[in-house]
Amino acid sequence: MLRTLPSVAARRPWRSAFSIIAGALLVIGCTDSIVTPTRTEPTPVPPAGPVSMQLTCVASVQSGSVSCSTPATPAGVRGAVTYGGQNQYVKLTSTNVTFDAGTRIMGADVTLQNLLPQIIGSLDSATVHPNGIRVFYASGPTTSDPGTVTVRNPDGTETFLSSPAPYYQWSQALRTNAVSSVKRWEWNVGAGVNTFTFSVYVQTEVTPTLVITEIMANPSAVDDSVGEYIEVYNPGLATVDLSGYRIVSRSGSSTEQVTIASGVTLASRAYGVIAARSNTARNGGVTAIAEWGGTAIQLSNSTSATAPDYVAMRRPSVAPGTFFTMDSVGWAPVGTTTAPPTGRTRELLDVKADNTHMSSAAWNTGYTKYGIGDGNGDFDRGTPGAPNGVLVAPGPVVLVRISPGFAVIDTLNQFRRFSAFPEDSLGQTASTTITWATDNPAIATIDQTGLVTHVDTGQVHITATASNGVADTTLYSIFKYSPASIYRNHVEFGVPVTGLPNDNNNIVILSDRRTHYNLSYNASRGGPNWVSWNLNRTQFGKIPRAPTFYTDPLLVSYGAYQVTTCDYTGSGYTRGHMVQSEQRTQTRAENDTTFLMTNILPQTNELNTGPWGDLEEYGNELARFHQKEIYNVAGGTWPASPQYLTTTCGNANRVQIPTTTWKVMVIMPYGQGLADVTSASSVRVIAVDMPNTFTANSQPWTAYKVTVDQIEAITGYDLLAALPDAIEAAVESSIDP
């Protein structure tokens, strides 16, 4: 059996891989948008389950038309975010709308087009599901006119929401962009009825899709039995549960196969590595979602003109005990002999290309060093778990993400900038024009650069819309600020590490020298070992973000090199705050301290403005509007072989790049601290360890939750040492639910 890796945090998928996915009725002339639910408290877990869009439709007897729009969320109702976007998932088109005044039958010809990058109406891409593709009446038809309206010709009825509902069914499986056959929809329209309304859903099974995108068959920095791997990519819009999948390989004259155990998932538009071994200290530094156990599969280096080696991903089919092949890659076509390169992967350049043969022009030899190498300067090359060396041309926008995902602020007459990230179906940045809007200019306005101007206190919805109508909406809350900051003990639950010499790699700065946070600075790495700080509602004010970054004057007495902002210029990495700028905004002096380079670690933009920034905003909302006292500690982890920023300033080997950045948050009611902890239930502890990669934003921050014990094992720190031992053991071994 392929084993689930115990070191990887349990993922919370954005959407269920094989659950029924619902879509909207998108009739000619229809529009829809994102409906943001009413929210009374922060919701850390992204919505799971079906992608759902509902539209309310109005049929006019007089004009012979059907038009639809997204209904508003009822006041006080809380539910999952609705992912909208005209023509985003499916498209239903109505033509030939007729009304017979004698029989009073109204009808329309309807076709359905699949816009997903996956087959719908089938679980295995070949067999049509018994339910096919169904369009359910979620409510109606109803009318305010005299008389009644009924559905005349449904294909059946079934309990869909809470009561039996009629539906139309296409007994078809549709590939991407395929259009169904015509189905006639008809209604019995009573006398006196001029218009009527109804709401519908599209409900269908979706075939999961996986693409084999990279193969390391012959590592040189480590042995084959620990360093071989395959990389798979999920281009779909739903997380794929790999439980029960098989990896099958032909190696020479024999065929090998292993079955993936439960608990292994691959998120939408994410890459996942399945490796011979998962231990990163032995396998060359590859982070894997599962392992096949050494030599259970051997990606042979031999060649054969009659039976070339191959590797395949197979999924359980509808019939018990049967499997179908989702993707398969051979070393070479029959009749040719091609061996994989030594110490380098073969990478698929275009995930939409024909990847049948690894020797074809669709594949490239990996050139990027990865992992920890062999300790003697030899590195294997490839891009395990990340996009390959050459990306395909971006396609049309199918998703827009606003960053931050939700935001709160307690300052008036100041500004806040939002960013929008349009993506194509592969998760690549797509070219488009973004239009910004707020739904209440009396509270806040926004210009077309995403800059928000605060007018009053309250809440507004901010929407970013791409030129093709795909949109995202976020809720923005503005409240009054507190008159003065209150700082409690920044190391309330213990100094993360003690007993080390106070040398240039452990320059400890506590509250006697810096009021606003504590830290340990590592001059060799050019950044903090850890930063610890208290957070509560009083520390948020109206001071705008500092205009620049500063060297830390406290380093002068140590004779340590003072990192400057220039040491990051042109590196491709952002200056990632540990203590966020927004968390110190009562005075200019307080905000300036967050821009000292001793508070900064290199982060990819995808991490800094993605899950890391979203977690920061989540903590800010807890502190400001839910009366929480939060004790934070954060830092980085580093590879055994240091990797340094390469800048345009000419400074070499000054700032090391962390492999991950981690954070632990101890959350308590406002004003409480260590003395108030009487049991494990007295505190809520969130621990995360986020990869410092250019694909970190493919997951929500909740996907990176780990235990405190895991962070301590990686760093060697004792993070909550001040807690009573029994309580410390309980909270450090649990993952925040």
Side-chain angles (χ1 to χ4, degrees), residues 28-40:
I28 290 178
C30 296
T31 60
D32 71 333
S33 59
I34 291 175
V35 177
T36 302
T38 301
R39 189 180 66 200
T40 57

Side-chain angles (χ1 to χ4, degrees), residues 58-118:
V58 178
S60 172
V61 174
Q62 292 179 335
S63 63
S65 64
V66 180
S67 61
C68 304
S69 61
T70 303
T73 303
V77 173
R78 178 176 174 174
V81 175
T82 298
Y83 290 83
Q86 177 76 329
N87 300 341
Q88 184 173 350
Y89 300 122
V90 295
K91 177 182 179 181
L92 274 76
T93 302
S94 62
T95 58
N96 192 27
V97 179
T98 63
F99 176 70
D100 187 317
T103 62
R104 298 202 63 83
I105 296 174
M106 186 173 182
D109 292 338
V110 180
T111 59
L112 182 146
Q113 183 178 11
N114 174 26
L115 301 180
L116 289 170
Q118 297 150 286

